[in-house]
Amino acid sequence: SQIEILLINSLGVVNLDFGFFEKSFDYFDTAYNAFLKCRENTENLNVISYQYGVFLYKQERYIESLSVLLKGFDDVIKKETFFMLAEYSLLLSKCYKNIGNNLDAQKYYDKYGAFLDL
């Protein structure tokens, strides 16, 4: 259920805060894969891809982070919600900047500004 997915994801966040990166990865990976299969795709689950993307970003795995974040960003748009779009946009901009793609970095930074105004 979505509650179980959110709980597993929360364990990933807590373990990341304590520096347990392998455990954190396991929780995020489990939550993310469950999210992809979940039929209850509500806006509460928007945080799953985002927090997994944050984890990958902090591990300097920018390409993997982009992959997860772009899927999450598209999912939020499909749900026709604004919840988390600004956060996704800012982190996408940072990922693109770190891989040297300044054009897409600026594009997502501009979206970040627009979503903040909403």
Side-chain angles (χ1 to χ4, degrees):
S1 74
Q2 74 173 308
I3 299 294
E4 292 169 314
I5 295 169
L6 290 166
L7 287 170
I8 292 168
N9 188 72
S10 296
L11 290 170
V13 172
V14 170
N15 278 276
L16 180 59
D17 287 345
F18 283 113
F20 302 129
F21 301 115
E22 284 186 40
K23 263 187 166 178
S24 186
F25 173 76
D26 290 340
Y27 286 124
F28 283 128
D29 190 55
T30 299
Y32 183 70
N33 285 314
F35 161 71
L36 293 176
K37 296 173 188 172
C38 184
R39 296 183 194 267
E40 303 175 62
N41 203 354
T42 67
E43 77 174 10
N44 290 333
L45 295 175
N46 291 358
V47 301
I48 303 298
S49 297
Y50 177 75
Q51 289 176 329
Y52 189 28
V54 168
F55 168 78
L56 294 167
Y57 178 83
K58 287 182 176 182
Q59 298 296 305
E60 299 179 358
R61 295 162 61 178
Y62 304 120
I63 300 296
E64 292 170 83
S65 181
L66 276 170
S67 176
V68 169
L69 292 167
L70 286 168
K71 286 178 189 171
F73 185 87
D74 289 344
D75 184 60
V76 172
I77 290 174
K78 283 181 196 172
K79 291 177 194 166
E80 298 179 354
T81 178
F82 297 110
F83 179 58
M84 301 291 298
L85 279 178
E87 291 84 353
Y88 273 100
S89 298
L90 183 58
L91 191 54
L92 282 163
S93 176
K94 289 178 180 182
C95 285
Y96 278 121
K97 187 171 184 155
N98 277 294
I99 64 169
N101 185 336
N102 292 328
L103 185 63
D104 282 331
Q106 187 61 51
K107 175 178 126 181
Y108 279 95
Y109 189 78
D110 292 344
K111 288 182 183 201
Y112 166 71
F115 293 134
L116 276 181
D117 288 341
L118 293 175

